[in-house]
Amino acid sequence: MMMTANARRISGDVWHVGGSDRRSPIFEGHLPVPAGMSYNAYLILGGETALFDTVDKSVASAFIEDVKAALDGRPLNRLVVQHMEPDHTAAISALAELYPDMTVVCTAGAKRMLANYCPGLEQSRVVTVKDRESMKIGDCTVTFLTAPMVHWPEVMVSYLAEEKILFSADAFGTFGALSGNIFADECCTVKEWLPEARRYYANIVGKYGPQVQALLKKAAEADIAVVAPLHGPVWRSDLVDIISAYDKWSRYEPEEKAVTILYTSVYGNTARACGLLADELAARGVKKVKMLDMNVTHPSYGVAEAFRASCVVFASTTYNNGLFPSMRNLLDDMADMGVKDRDAAIIANGSWAPQAGKIMRAKLEEMGGMTFIGEDVTVAGAMNDASRQAVSALADAVAQRVL
Ligand code: FEO
């Protein structure tokens, strides 16, 4: 069947529905999404009909039209709510009204949240399921696997045995809108999708590494051919790549042996010290060195870099006897997201009382498992021969560590 609604077949009776928002510059109130954001949902059109999740309010009205068109006059029998965050639940009340016989399937935790988010929905229409409970939906067998704190407490994922599809809720999600090509292998290469998948993971799920590890173990018991997340592309041929990336990220293991330099600079002197370090590293044969000016870069990119690289150099101006605000924000966000076990190096600047190094070191020590590389470099306002030599010595130590 060729469907005229905005829906694409995943396999069998399972269809992708949803929408992409290319207008909102931020996601979850603070994360920049320059390439937009997709909100995916999945529809089963077998002997019974079921929808897995809804969407954000930004795309809800078009989504409801698409679901109606895809159902083509049939009622919606079930709405499976895997996660109650509002970016996936904005259409629940409208669908409940449109399809009065529809039941909602969710965990007990989600049912409690539903009562608050959708007060008009009768509790008698909500069916709760437990971990590993299976349910027949027409000819399909769906098994629900709870995934608490990935990244909300009430989360579950769902495994559709006949099609070997894991509906993974927010897990394996990626920033970025979808443009017709819904499968990762038809819209981008691993090199293209990895940075935004990493930034999504690091800033949304990063804190919950142990819980992600538990979910990966649970999911490994199933024979999975397709992973269908609530954001970004659907994974099939790239499955191994995204799962192994998740495994590394959730163990807080660096993705690559690499150096990233995250810095703040007011008048350019700290930036010059970092530029010199990058040059000296390159001269020693270190490849793919990356520098981010955190004064003009959202901290989410810095946090993602800290998940990627084995060695992170932090460079900051001293400001009001503390850290420059963008470095303070970055380190606080890194701590919130559980970053640990990295090689770290420090460059501090301060014209009369350089405190930044001491403060950065203390914050990094609190994160845990940090190995400090070389001697901290102190710049007294402008670079001089002594600070250039200190940067050179730091380059020796960092290069030795990563080469
Ligand atoms: Fe995409 Fe946790 O919401």
Side-chain angles (χ1 to χ4, degrees):
M1 170 181 73
M2 267 301 285
M3 191 174 284
T4 52
N6 288 341
R8 271 200 67 195
R9 192 194 294 273
I10 302 286
S11 70
D13 291 325
V14 183
W15 295 76
H16 171 277
V17 283
S20 281
D21 176 10
R22 294 178 182 77
R23 279 198 174 173
S24 310
I26 51 170
F27 173 69
E28 285 194 357
H30 74 124
L31 294 162
V33 281
M37 196 69 196
S38 82
Y39 300 94
N40 305 331
Y42 301 93
L43 189 59
I44 298 182
L45 295 174
E48 278 187 88
T49 60
L51 179 66
F52 286 73
D53 294 301
T54 77
V55 292
D56 183 66
K57 67 177 177 212
S58 58
V59 294
S61 58
F63 168 76
I64 291 165
E65 279 175 27
D66 290 340
V67 169
K68 271 166 72 178
L71 285 166
D72 196 19
R74 296 178 66 186
L76 181 60
N77 301 125
R78 296 174 210 258
L79 171 61
V80 179
V81 174
Q82 301 188 109
H83 173 32
M84 272 306 298
E85 196 164 6
D87 58 329
H88 306 292
T89 55
I92 292 178
S93 297
L95 288 169
E97 200 171 320
L98 206 54
Y99 300 106
D101 295 327
M102 176 192 93
T103 54
V104 174
V105 179
C106 62
T107 59
K111 185 178 180 180
R112 284 191 289 277
M113 292 186 190
L114 257 173
N116 200 38
Y117 278 114
C118 306
L121 181 75
E122 302 90 329
Q123 294 286 293
S124 58
R125 293 177 67 181
V126 183
V127 176
T128 59
V129 288
K130 294 193 168 66
D131 188 32
R132 297 176 193 272
E133 187 171 332
S134 292
M135 177 180 277
K136 274 294 207 193
I137 299 178
D139 299 328
C140 299
T141 315
V142 177
T143 302
F144 303 105
L145 302 171
T146 55
M149 294 319 298
V150 179
H151 63 137
W152 274 33
E154 81 302 355
V155 174
M156 66 178 185
V157 301
S158 312
Y159 177 66
L160 174 49
E162 287 77 6
E163 301 298 331
K164 300 183 181 175
I165 298 174
L166 180 73
F167 300 106
S168 63
D170 276 329
F172 307 106
T174 305
F175 292 132
L178 291 177
S179 304
N181 300 125
I182 59 164
F183 294 101
D185 55 41
E186 61 180 19
C187 63
C188 44
T189 62
V190 172
K191 205 174 158 201
E192 286 165 326
W193 61 251
L194 194 58
E196 283 298 74
R198 180 194 305 120
R199 189 166 67 91
Y200 176 95
Y201 177 87
N203 291 280
I204 292 175
V205 194
K207 180 182 173 74
Y208 304 106
Q211 291 85 349
V212 172
Q213 279 290 312
L215 174 60
L216 289 174
K217 282 194 183 73
K218 220 184 251 190
E221 295 167 18
D223 180 11
I224 298 169
V226 176
V227 169
L230 293 177
H231 301 289
V234 173
W235 309 96
R236 50 181 186 189
S237 60
D238 291 328
L239 214 48
V240 174
D241 298 310
I242 187 73
I243 289 173
S244 74
Y246 257 66
D247 188 38
K248 259 192 186 164
W249 296 332
S250 56
R251 291 175 193 274
Y252 301 97
E253 284 176 13
E255 198 181 301
E256 309 183 54
K257 215 165 185 193
V259 184
T260 195
I261 303 170
L262 308 177
Y263 70 93
T264 70
S265 191
V266 182
Y267 296 109
N269 291 304
T270 314
R272 277 178 67 76
C274 293
L276 178 62
L277 177 65
D279 288 347
E280 296 249 4
L281 287 170
R284 286 160 177 75
V286 180
K287 293 191 168 52
K288 295 198 285 183
V289 177
K290 199 162 172 181
M291 293 174 64
L292 289 186
D293 181 342
M294 296 314 301
N295 282 348
V296 291
T297 307
H298 191 272
S300 62
Y301 291 89
V303 174
E305 276 300 291
F307 270 80
R308 179 186 70 86
S310 60
C311 181
V312 189
V313 181
F314 298 90
S316 178
T317 311
T318 302
Y319 196 68
N320 291 329
N321 211 31
L323 282 182
F324 204 67
S326 48
M327 179 55 69
R328 191 174 61 226
N329 291 344
L330 170 67
L331 291 169
D332 286 350
D333 284 2
M334 280 175 53
D336 284 351
M337 292 303 147
V339 175
K340 58 183 178 180
D341 301 337
R342 290 294 181 273
D343 289 346
I346 287 174
I347 299 175
N349 197 343
S351 301
W352 64 92
Q355 292 297 309
K358 201 166 71 182
I359 301 168
M360 286 191 284
R361 184 176 273 265
K363 282 180 175 281
L364 290 163
E365 276 170 351
E366 266 178 39
M367 290 179 210
M370 296 289 175
T371 304
F372 291 93
I373 307 301
E375 297 288 325
D376 294 3
V377 173
T378 302
V379 179
M383 294 286 283
N384 58 22
D385 284 347
S387 50
R388 272 189 283 273
Q389 276 172 19
V391 168
S392 189
L394 183 61
D396 282 335
V398 170
Q400 201 175 14
R401 188 77 179 173
V402 294
L403 286 175

